[in-house]
Amino acid sequence: MTEFIPPGTRYIDLPSPFPMKRGGELHGARIAYETWGTLNPARDNAVLIVTGLSPDAHAAANDANPAPGWWEAMVGPGKAIDSDRWFVVCVNSLGSCKGSTGPASINPDTGDLYRLDFPELSIEDGADAAAHVVRELGIEQLACVIGNSMGGMTALALLVKHPGIARSHVNISGAAKALPFSIAIRSLQREAIRLDPNWNNGGYEDASYPESGMRMARKMGVITYRSALEWDGRFGRVRLDSDRADDEPFGLEFEVESYLEAHARRFVRNFDPNCYLYLSRSMDWFDLGDYCAQRSGDGEGNTRAGLASIRIDKALAIGAATDILFPLQQQREIADGLRAGGADARFLPLDSPQGHDAFLVDFDRFGPAVRSFLDTL
């Protein structure tokens, strides 16, 4: 598969070699990023956005790429993350296929794609890569690091591994560790991809793409990204028109099935399956308690103590009440843990019907919450 890189993407080379947490190292790797606004003379107005699993670095339109970005309603002049005030940086995750080095990139040692020769990827590797971007841009300390979904994990890893890198933090629908339900869902998604014969142990080509596996993985994901409340209000039990119904036995019959199919087909040829596997598993492995000296009797790290080890001035942890993938208990845990470490940390549950993806669509709720927090800095 090829990579899917938006126009206007910029790059920063990582140190070579770049060591990975779980072993191995990268040579000649890079991180994709984009920026909005201007870094002030004091270099203290920078805001870093670290993303979820699938977004690229193009969060919003800018001079290099005027096309709307994936967080267009949130980033830009006069918006919640106001580029008239803040110098906003968004990085594409290490391991992605959207510009940063990942399994779909060329391995300089072989001249072929990395595929499964890419080292095991952790959330912490993405955090270290993001920290390098910050330093290379001449920023000693961020005003704020904002992470949503997987990016919420990356932001916490950044704060614990690079003390003093940010004065504040906004964690949106994120988590300090993976919960069993989320691990189970992602495990099924990975299994769907791996069981597709075309996956070929990671050796697929464009002509033999594991489309069925990716479609099923994406459908399972989308079901967990939204809430049952939204599915009911949006689709109910509406059936497809008779002339649109699938002719196959047990084929598509309801509007909700058609929506999932269309959504999956739009995604599958725009994201590399091996990258999906690597990034998905990196979330399952993450637990901030691994960085706490205090251990529980069963050998598990103490996640709250790991959070309390972070030293920042202010924090906001927000999420949707209907989120089943990263439920509110996880954002509450983040706020409580950061507060125990001395931060002025607030937990804000939002009554959005749109589940985990609410931060991507429910801007009337999430926008004012983020703007209000940033206005206090």
Side-chain angles (χ1 to χ4, degrees), residues 206-235:
D206 285 348
S208 58
Y209 178 90
E211 185 156 344
S212 293
M214 280 291 281
R215 280 176 46 242
M216 291 304 299
R218 189 60 175 176
K219 286 182 181 182
M220 281 186 277
V222 171
I223 290 170
T224 65
Y225 297 156
R226 299 300 179 96
S227 73
L229 182 65
E230 186 189 6
W231 293 122
D232 186 48
R234 189 170 180 179
F235 298 106

Side-chain angles (χ1 to χ4, degrees), residues 12-15 33 43 130-139:
I12 285 179
D13 292 335
L14 292 175
Y33 76 101
R43 307 175 92 71
H132 180 73
V133 171
V134 171
R135 302 304 187 209
E136 286 295 296
L137 292 175
I139 301 164

Side-chain angles (χ1 to χ4, degrees), residues 21 124 157 160-161 286-293 295 305-306 309:
K21 177 190 175 185
E124 292 86 344
V160 79
K161 291 200 68 186
F286 183 65
D287 183 353
L288 204 68
D290 291 345
Y291 294 90
C292 177
R295 311 291 289 183
S309 71

Side-chain angles (χ1 to χ4, degrees), residues 12 31-32 62 72 92-94 99 111 122 151 159 174 185 188 195 237 263 274 276 278 283 309 326 372:
I12 285 179
I31 294 295
N62 53 24
E72 187 69 30
N92 173 237
S93 299
L94 183 69
S122 72
L159 292 169
I185 291 296
L188 289 174
L195 291 182
R237 289 179 49 81
H263 192 289
N274 286 336
Y276 200 99
Y278 272 81
M283 286 189 278
S309 71
F326 286 67
S372 178

Side-chain angles (χ1 to χ4, degrees), residues 21 33 36 42-43 83 94 204 231 280 286 304 319 323 348:
K21 177 190 175 185
Y33 76 101
W36 300 260
R43 307 175 92 71
S83 58
L94 183 69
Y204 50 84
W231 293 122
S280 165
F286 183 65
R304 177 161 175 167
D323 189 344
L348 180 61

Side-chain angles (χ1 to χ4, degrees), residues 161-183:
K161 291 200 68 186
H162 301 271
I165 197 169
R167 298 191 298 275
S168 68
H169 171 42
V170 178
N171 199 291
I172 304 174
S173 301
K177 63 183 175 186
L179 291 180
F181 175 78
S182 302
I183 293 171

